[in-house]
Amino acid sequence: MLRLPFCFLLLAALLLTPQLGPVAFHGAAFAQTATTAAQEETDAVQSLERRAESLINAFEAAGDDDARLAVLRGDADAMVAEARDLLATVDERLNTSRDALMALGDPPADGTEDAAVSRQREELSSQVQSLQARSVALNTTINTAVEVRTEIANLRRDAFARRVMDRTNVNSALFSEGLESYRVRLIETGLLIKNWFVLNVRNEAFAFLGAIAFGFAAAFL
């Protein structure tokens, strides 16, 4: 008779154990997921930092190669966009962690704070420090990429201006030749006007005066 209650208790324990398992391990699984996400975020930040360093080295080695500079300009644009997207996520998490840490307030001066609250404070403080470091690194990466992009734009603009000047060959000799040609053209134009006046106006005037004189002579006769 005593074995029957024991069997019921054993059966109840076996039925309840699968239901309690997920609840017991839920907190640990969530913590593991958060840790994995933080590590992936850190890896992404470090990858962008390495790309920024490679961008600087490639820019210094490119010289005045316009095709290579154009490619590096595209790489810098992509890097800035990726870093800004990641920075938005990091800053959002940073603000959330700061707010949560501020909500806890200052720890008691007598050291009687609950152990769970103390652990939460330490975790939040660690999160804030890590997120701040990522935010600083991302801002540095963005500034580096923007500076390289600006330098590339300046180099390409100067190179384009030089090519235009070389093709047009604008120099002092060109201006001197232009002024001399203008002076010659003025002289030639003056001679043309003078010849036209001699051939037309003066000859016509002589013919008109001759006709008048002939008319007077005819009338007198």
Side-chain angles (χ1 to χ4, degrees):
M1 296 297 294
L2 295 176
R3 293 181 178 179
L4 187 59
F6 177 76
C7 293
F8 278 114
L9 291 175
L10 181 61
L11 180 60
L14 292 175
L15 292 175
L16 291 176
T17 299
Q19 296 178 359
L20 294 176
V23 176
F25 290 100
H26 177 72
F30 179 79
Q32 181 65 30
T33 301
T35 302
T36 302
Q39 185 60 46
E40 292 177 353
E41 193 174 77
T42 300
D43 293 342
V45 172
Q46 293 176 351
S47 175
L48 284 169
E49 288 180 314
R50 290 192 295 269
R51 287 171 58 187
E53 185 176 356
S54 299
L55 179 66
I56 294 175
N57 295 333
F59 169 67
E60 293 175 350
D64 57 353
D65 187 348
D66 187 70
R68 181 57 181 161
L69 291 175
V71 173
L72 293 177
R73 170 66 184 271
D75 294 342
D77 290 338
M79 190 181 305
V80 170
E82 292 179 24
R84 283 177 175 169
D85 290 341
L86 185 56
L87 179 62
T89 302
V90 170
D91 285 345
E92 183 179 359
R93 294 181 57 210
L94 177 59
N95 292 332
T96 301
S97 298
R98 282 174 175 169
D99 293 341
L101 184 60
M102 291 179 62
L104 291 178
D106 297 330
D110 56 3
T112 59
E113 186 174 48
D114 183 74
V117 177
S118 180
R119 285 195 303 271
Q120 186 179 9
R121 187 190 306 280
E122 292 177 358
E123 292 175 358
L124 289 173
S125 298
S126 178
Q127 289 178 9
V128 168
Q129 293 177 1
S130 299
L131 291 169
Q132 283 178 338
R134 293 172 208 164
S135 180
V136 171
L138 287 171
N139 278 293
T140 302
T141 299
I142 292 172
N143 292 335
T144 299
V146 170
E147 289 177 1
V148 172
R149 184 176 64 183
T150 302
E151 290 293 332
I152 291 174
N154 292 336
L155 285 176
R156 298 188 68 195
R157 183 180 63 249
D158 294 342
F160 177 77
R162 287 194 300 271
R163 288 195 298 269
V164 171
M165 294 295 289
D166 292 340
R167 290 177 181 178
T168 55
N169 194 23
V170 178
N171 51 39
S172 58
L174 180 61
F175 284 112
S176 299
E177 293 176 1
L179 291 175
E180 180 64 21
S181 176
Y182 179 72
R183 188 183 66 83
V184 172
R185 294 301 179 187
L186 284 178
I187 294 174
E188 292 177 352
T189 302
L191 292 175
L192 288 175
I193 294 174
K194 180 180 179 181
N195 292 334
W196 178 84
F197 180 81
V198 170
L199 293 176
N200 294 279
V201 177
R202 191 174 66 180
N203 291 341
E204 291 293 335
F206 287 158
F208 179 72
L209 293 175
I212 292 176
F214 180 76
F216 276 114
F220 179 76
L221 295 173

